[in-house]
């Protein structure tokens, strides 16, 4: 099992390297270079081609492709992602703050989304073909049918504007930096993200649970005289969880992408808003920095999914 | 004469399917005494497994319904008994083992977890002691190095080992009746004999009653005292195993025996399969269900259903024209 996890980690590094290389190629092949970003259009126009070439040499931009690639890769690995023109700050510094803010949203959304989705999924499966099942089954379709930003705007309109219960955006109130204030600001964006996740998980959990509940070992478990509770949770749920783990892993990139839009609507100072600003400001190195962070996140989350799956299913563990 | 342990009389089970109502069991009557073993034989879809699940009250609630009859265990009615007392019986006084041990063991729980859980469901016992008991049980059913095996998962055991583990589990609360639903069907032929031997040895050692459900007459022959043959959801013949196999009264039993290759018959003799196919269980039949396939059928068979009645001492059959064919069966019924 240990070697299996090591192998997965090694694969993760290979995938990361390939991603970084693709990112670099994207940067390198794109028209214009660092010099164009550093110089204003007027400054560039006032320089002769010779002077431009000298500047390029100064910045190391005239070196051969493999050398440039090597230098870039070394910089990235040591955490130097360059300078952001749109944020006017070191990219790594900017990311450190925003990634933390986004992680706060995403982890809360994962936590509540999984709990809500799995709980109602099991409930729907146990109460199959009753009104409970029908209600639980139809709400996710409704939620999935509404784009996340409409849902966000709807919540802002009703909860913040009409009922004046919760703040409509940002992380903190101007005068209040307390934890409670932060939680108040988190409720709406986290609700949107976790509802969207839960809506998908409910259906997967229900299907997976029904599938397991009809298997022979459930009848065999009942024939042992153990309580229904034990049959449901110890026998059925443990097995039904396996496909749900994969689904959460598969949906993680989607959740991160969803966070981009949700953050923008709620003006949450995270990676999502940052990406939108960077793209708007044509800040290519910043966008690339974000791409790298997302890639690393996806690779890590896949790794965690694999490990979780290995822990949950003994057949995978040893086979 | 020992006391009756399980009395099933005129049991009828109905299923609601998309094609309409299917009466899977249409009248099944038998008694198993304490310490007795009985085989329930019939082809696929004849209602034998359904009738076993009915005893434990484990029929799917949404689709199946017991429409008539009674199931008495130690004189107490089980149909409609409260869930709490049924749960005590399940895995306690009445244990069950299933056809495919791989699909009837939970893949994500260790053998130990699955046995201990059953022990704990039926008595107050410390975890450590239950664990020790689990190892003893595995030892008893002939699993080598039980102490290591007990920590493993079902997929790490071979088919025969898994079925042994299932049996160990079933025995964990010292049941007085063991329901074995085709316990050897999913196993290799060589393992089949070992498992059957294990079952009958344990049955005799523990003085337990055994209901062996099978479609294989060969399995029945040496292993059970009593035999009930089912056709289309009904008991068609019943009696001591050796007598039924040696001198079948019902044409269906006779047909089954004639269609089995036998070592004591010349190799050139042809097998005689039963003509036709088993009836559609969603249709209501008038007359004897076997009549369309029966070579002895007469006009009465098509209009009136024969009752399950006494033919001779301790022999029952549901047939208007019971046959009397002594087969040279010494080899089968030894």
């Amino acid at each position: 099992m240990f070697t299996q996890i090591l192998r997965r980690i090694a694969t993760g590094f290979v995938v990361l390297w390939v991603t970084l290389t693709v990112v670099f190629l994207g940067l390198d092949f794109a028209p214009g270079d660092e010099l164009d970003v550093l110089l204003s259009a007027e400054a560039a126009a006032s320089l002769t081609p010779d002077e431009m070439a000298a500047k390029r040499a100064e910045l190391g931009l005239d070196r051969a492709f493999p050398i440039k690639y090597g230098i870039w890769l070394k910089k990235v690995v040591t955490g130097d992602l360059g300078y952001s023109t749109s944020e006017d700050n070191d990219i790594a510094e900017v990311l450190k703050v925003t990634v933390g803010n986004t992680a706060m949203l995403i982890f809360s959304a994962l936590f509540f989304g999984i709990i809500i989705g799995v709980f109602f999924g099991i409930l729907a499966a146990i109460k199959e073909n009753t009104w409970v099942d029908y209600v639980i089954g139809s709400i996710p379709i409704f939620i999935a049918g509404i784009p996340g930003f409409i849902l966000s705007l709807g919540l802002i309109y009703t909860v913040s504007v009409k009922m004046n219960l919760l703040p409509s955006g940002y992380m903190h109130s101007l005068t209040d930096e307390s934890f409670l204030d932060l939680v108040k600001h988190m409720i709406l964006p986290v609700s949107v993200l976790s509802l969207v996740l839960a809506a998908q998980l409910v259906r997967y959990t229900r299907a997976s649970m029904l599938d397991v509940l009809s298997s022979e070992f459930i009848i065999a478990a009942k024939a042992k005289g153990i309580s229904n509770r034990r049959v449901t949770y110890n026998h059925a749920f443990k097995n039904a969880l396996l496909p749900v783990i994969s689904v959460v892993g598969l949906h993680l990139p989607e959740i991160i992408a969803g966070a981009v839009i949700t953050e923008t609507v709620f003006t949450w100072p995270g990676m999502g808003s940052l990406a939108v600003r960077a793209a708007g400001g044509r800040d290519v190195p910043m966008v690339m920095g974000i791409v790298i962070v997302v890639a690393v996140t996806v690779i890590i989350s896949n790794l965690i999914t694999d490990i979780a799956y290995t822990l949950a299913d003994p057949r995978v563990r040893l086979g | 004469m020992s006391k009756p342990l399980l009395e099933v009389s005129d049991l009828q089970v109905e299923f609601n399917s998309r094609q309409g109502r299917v009466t899977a069991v249409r009248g099944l009557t038998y008694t198993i005494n304490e310490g007795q073993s009985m085989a329930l034989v019939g082809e696929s879809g004849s209602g034998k497994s359904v009738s076993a699940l009915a005893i434990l009250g484990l029929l799917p609630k949404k689709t199946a319904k017991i429409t008539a009859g009674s199931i008495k265990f130690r004189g107490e009615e089980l149909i409609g008994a409260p869930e709490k007392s049924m749960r005590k019986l399940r895995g306690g006084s009445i244990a069950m083992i299933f056809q495919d041990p791989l699909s009837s063991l939970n893949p994500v729980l260790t053998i130990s977890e699955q046995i201990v859980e059953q022990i704990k469901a039926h008595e107050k016992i410390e975890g450590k002691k239950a664990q020790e008991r689990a190892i003893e049980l595995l030892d008893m059913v002939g699993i080598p190095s039980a102490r290591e095996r007990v920590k493993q998962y079902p997929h790490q055991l071979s088919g025969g080992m898994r079925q042994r583990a299932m049996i160990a589990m079933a025995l964990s609360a010292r049941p007085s009746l063991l329901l074995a639903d085709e316990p050897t069907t999913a196993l290799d032929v060589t393992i089949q004999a070992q498992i059957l031997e294990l079952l009958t040895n344990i049955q005799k050692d523990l003085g337990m009653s055994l209901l062996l459900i099978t479609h294989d007459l060969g399995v029945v022959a040496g292993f059970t005292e009593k035999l009930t043959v089912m056709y289309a959801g009904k008991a068609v013949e019943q009696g001591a195993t050796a007598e039924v196999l040696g001198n079948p009264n019902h044409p269906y039993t006779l047909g089954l025996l004639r269609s089995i290759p036998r070592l004591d018959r010349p190799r050139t003799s042809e097998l005689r399969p039963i003509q036709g196919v088993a009836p559609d269980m969603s249709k209501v039949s008038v007359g004897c269900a076997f009549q369309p396939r029966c070579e002895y059928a007469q006009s009465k068979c098509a209009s009136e259903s024969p009752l399950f009645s006494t033919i001779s001492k301790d022999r029952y059959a549901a047939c208007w024209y019971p046959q009397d064919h002594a087969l040279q069966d010494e080899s089968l019924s030894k």
Side-chain angles (χ1 to χ4, degrees), chain A residues 83-89 274 277-284 286:
Chain A
Y83 194 81
S84 160
T85 48
S86 66
E87 299 295 311
D88 202 13
N89 201 343
L274 178 68
R277 275 203 310 278
R282 309 215 181 281
D283 188 351
V284 178
M286 185 76 243

Side-chain angles (χ1 to χ4, degrees), chain B residues 62-74:
Chain B
K62 280 162 204 152
T63 51
K65 212 176 126 197
I66 296 174
T67 47
S70 103
I71 300 171
K72 282 187 178 150
F73 183 73
R74 291 213 172 99

Side-chain angles (χ1 to χ4, degrees), chain B residues 270-286:
Chain B
E270 262 180 65
L271 292 176
R272 288 169 56 188
I274 302 174
Q275 299 299 320
V277 289
D280 181 352
M281 299 294 281
S282 62
K283 301 236 165 66
V284 183
S285 69
V286 183

Side-chain angles (χ1 to χ4, degrees), chain A residues 191-272:
Chain A
S191 303
V192 171
L193 288 174
S194 45
L195 273 181
V196 172
L197 174 65
Q200 284 170 334
L201 289 187
V202 163
R203 302 174 67 74
Y204 279 111
T205 310
R206 177 183 179 272
S208 166
M209 197 68 185
L210 283 180
D211 189 40
V212 172
L213 280 175
S214 66
S215 50
E216 202 174 336
F217 64 78
I218 292 300
I219 299 178
K222 284 182 184 163
K224 288 158 82 174
I226 54 179
S227 66
N228 279 335
R229 240 189 127 74
R230 224 186 140 81
V231 172
T232 309
Y233 293 99
N234 209 32
H235 285 263
F237 178 58
K238 275 194 183 171
N239 282 280
L241 201 58
L242 302 176
V244 177
I245 292 174
S246 316
V247 169
V248 173
L250 281 173
H251 278 294
L252 255 172
E254 220 173 274
I255 296 164
I256 296 171
V260 172
I261 295 166
T262 311
E263 277 180 3
T264 312
V265 175
F266 287 99
T267 54
W268 185 266
M271 243 173 36

